[in-house]
Amino acid sequence: MEENKYPIRPKKEYFNFFDAALASILFIIYNFIFLEAFAFVPMSVKSNSIVLYIAQFLIEFLFALVALTVAGSRRIKITKAAGMNKKVNLKLILLCLLISIVALVGFGNLTNVFIAILEKLGYSSSSSDIVINSFGSYFIYVLVICATPAICEELLFRGVILSGLKKIGPMFALLVSSAIFMLMHGSPDQTVHQFIIGLVVGYIFLKTGNLWLGVLVHFFNNFISITEYYILKLISTSTDVAPATTSEPTFISILLSFAIGAAIAVVAYIIIKLLIRVLAKENEKINSSETIETNTEILVDGNASEAVMEIDGRMVEPNLEKAQAQSETVEKETEDKGTSAIAIVLMVLSCGYLIFDWIVTLLHGFGLF
């Protein structure tokens, strides 16, 4: 029996444009299947709060499932390709918390102005309101609304989609992945907030390659909002103070709020950029050993014969000329696959559908559907 003359193809350690496009269309398919299946669940069952929590968890898990599907079908080592193999220390955690606070305070006014404009035009959000009646429900919200989305969504949007798109260009990857992140949530009233958060965590990922830093910022962003809501509810309940009535804002007051919010946002942008610079330096300090990883393996005709080096998941011979030739071939193959017509079609279809769905949701909020 003739032996296999070629070694088993090693797993890739990177995502490309095709992987990003495939992930985008797969999420739409997975989400559609889940929602259609959930529609057959009796209303008496769906109205149960536990069932709703489980459904919310499953929806969030779909993000991770898509990432795992793409990595498995494309033979990609997801821990390396998505930046999951990086370390985090206490200083990085505190820096992520600080970035989250600055982002919420600094960009919150712009979000409120956008919501005020929509409401002024007659928009009414169809998304379900948060209901926290006890510490138990608060704890469940922290798990389902804060922790689970932070891990699962970052794995897909930054770990797969942004990683794949950055082969085209970092700025393109940052803007498109943030837009997809915003559109996939399907909440027009949260458009500004989600897009900005996408930009912040995306920029962190581009600068550090550490997925866990984006997970932390994402988690703190949701955790602070949920905790603030819970504390305010406790205070209002204990004091029995009736909620204050506010008059409808005028366009002049909205314009003034926008000017103030824009000024605060500029300051927040400068502070966050400085914080991310410190974050990147600290990340490089504790993950410097992970930056360049070379392993010597014996792989020729399936037998121990000649040493080759593993660089970015590809087997490269030590001979300089052969190494350069192999590197150029691999790069060309990667570029061809990453910018193939199929990948472009998949990305256009997925983005087109997401934009269409966002517009439909917006029009529904205006009562046109």
Side-chain angles (χ1 to χ4, degrees):
M1 183 175 180
E2 185 179 356
E3 294 184 2
N4 183 12
K5 294 184 178 181
Y6 302 97
I8 298 176
R9 180 189 172 196
K11 286 189 175 183
K12 296 190 302 181
E13 295 184 348
Y14 58 89
F15 291 101
N16 60 23
F17 182 37
F18 180 84
D19 303 318
L22 179 61
S24 300
I25 202 73
L26 276 181
F27 176 78
I28 294 173
I29 295 173
Y30 283 12
N31 189 60
F32 176 80
I33 293 173
F34 176 81
L35 293 179
E36 287 299 309
F38 191 68
F40 287 98
V41 177
M43 185 58 66
S44 58
V45 177
K46 287 192 289 188
S47 60
N48 186 283
S49 58
I50 302 298
V51 174
L52 292 177
Y53 289 141
I54 294 174
Q56 181 63 43
F57 171 80
L58 292 176
I59 288 176
E60 294 297 337
F61 179 72
L62 288 179
F63 293 103
L65 182 60
V66 169
L68 294 173
T69 301
V70 172
S73 62
R74 300 274 292 160
R75 289 190 55 80
I76 298 171
K77 189 176 181 180
I78 193 170
T79 53
K80 182 70 176 291
M84 300 174 69
N85 60 334
K86 304 294 184 179
K87 303 172 186 175
V88 174
N89 60 13
L90 180 59
K91 183 176 180 180
L92 289 176
I93 294 174
L94 294 177
L95 283 169
C96 289
L97 174 60
L98 189 56
I99 290 173
S100 301
I101 294 173
V102 174
L104 284 171
V105 175
F107 303 118
N109 281 347
L110 293 181
T111 300
N112 295 333
V113 167
F114 183 75
I115 294 174
I117 292 174
L118 288 180
E119 292 178 346
K120 185 72 174 177
L121 297 174
Y123 179 84
S124 178
S125 177
S126 58
S127 59
S128 58
D129 296 328
I130 295 175
V131 179
I132 303 179
N133 298 321
S134 63
F135 179 79
S137 59
Y138 164 74
F139 180 75
I140 293 176
Y141 266 105
V142 170
L143 291 178
V144 177
I145 304 297
C146 302
T148 306
I151 297 173
C152 297
E153 293 179 12
E154 288 307 307
L155 180 57
L156 175 62
F157 292 109
R158 258 58 67 176
V160 178
I161 295 179
L162 188 147
S163 293
L165 293 177
K166 73 179 181 181
K167 301 294 181 180
I168 299 177
M171 184 57 65
F172 173 85
L174 182 61
L175 294 175
V176 174
S177 63
S178 299
I180 294 175
F181 173 72
M182 175 267 293
L183 291 170
M184 279 191 179
H185 282 80
S187 302
D189 51 322
Q190 291 296 312
T191 292
V192 173
H193 174 74
Q194 288 163 349
F195 184 70
I196 290 176
I197 291 300
L199 290 176
V200 172
V201 294
Y203 187 69
I204 290 174
F205 185 75
L206 286 175
K207 286 294 184 181
T208 65
N210 191 337
L211 183 74
W212 301 115
L213 300 180
V215 169
L216 286 169
V217 172
H218 195 151
F219 170 79
F220 286 133
N221 172 78
N222 295 348
F223 177 76
I224 292 171
S225 301
I226 291 294
T227 302
E228 180 185 16
Y229 175 89
Y230 178 57
I231 293 175
L232 291 176
K233 186 174 179 61
L234 286 178
I235 294 174
S236 62
T237 302
S238 61
T239 56
D240 294 327
V241 177
T245 57
T246 57
S247 58
E248 184 178 353
T250 63
F251 278 112
I252 295 179
S253 64
I254 292 176
L255 184 61
L256 180 61
S257 296
F258 172 75
I260 297 174
I264 296 175
V266 171
V267 176
Y269 166 77
I270 296 173
I271 296 175
I272 289 176
K273 195 169 183 180
L274 292 174
L275 289 173
I276 292 177
R277 186 179 301 173
V278 177
L279 190 78
K281 289 182 179 179
E282 181 65 20
N283 175 75
E284 184 179 3
K285 185 187 303 181
I286 68 171
N287 289 293
S288 57
S289 61
E290 303 292 337
T291 304
I292 302 176
E293 182 179 314
T294 59
N295 298 318
T296 302
E297 295 188 5
I298 310 300
L299 271 178
V300 172
D301 294 342
N303 300 314
S305 173
E306 181 182 353
V308 294
M309 297 180 64
E310 181 181 346
I311 301 177
D312 292 335
R314 301 183 293 273
M315 309 313 296
V316 182
E317 296 181 8
N319 182 277
L320 181 59
E321 294 180 358
K322 290 184 178 180
Q324 290 176 341
Q326 288 182 352
S327 177
E328 292 174 358
T329 301
V330 170
E331 288 178 2
K332 185 177 185 303
E333 290 176 354
T334 301
E335 183 179 358
D336 290 342
K337 292 179 181 178
T339 57
S340 65
I342 296 177
I344 295 174
V345 170
L346 289 178
M347 183 59 73
V348 170
L349 286 176
S350 58
C351 290
Y353 173 83
L354 291 172
I355 293 172
F356 172 78
D357 184 64
W358 185 89
I359 293 175
V360 170
T361 305
L362 180 68
L363 295 178
H364 179 73
F366 284 117
L368 299 179
F369 283 106

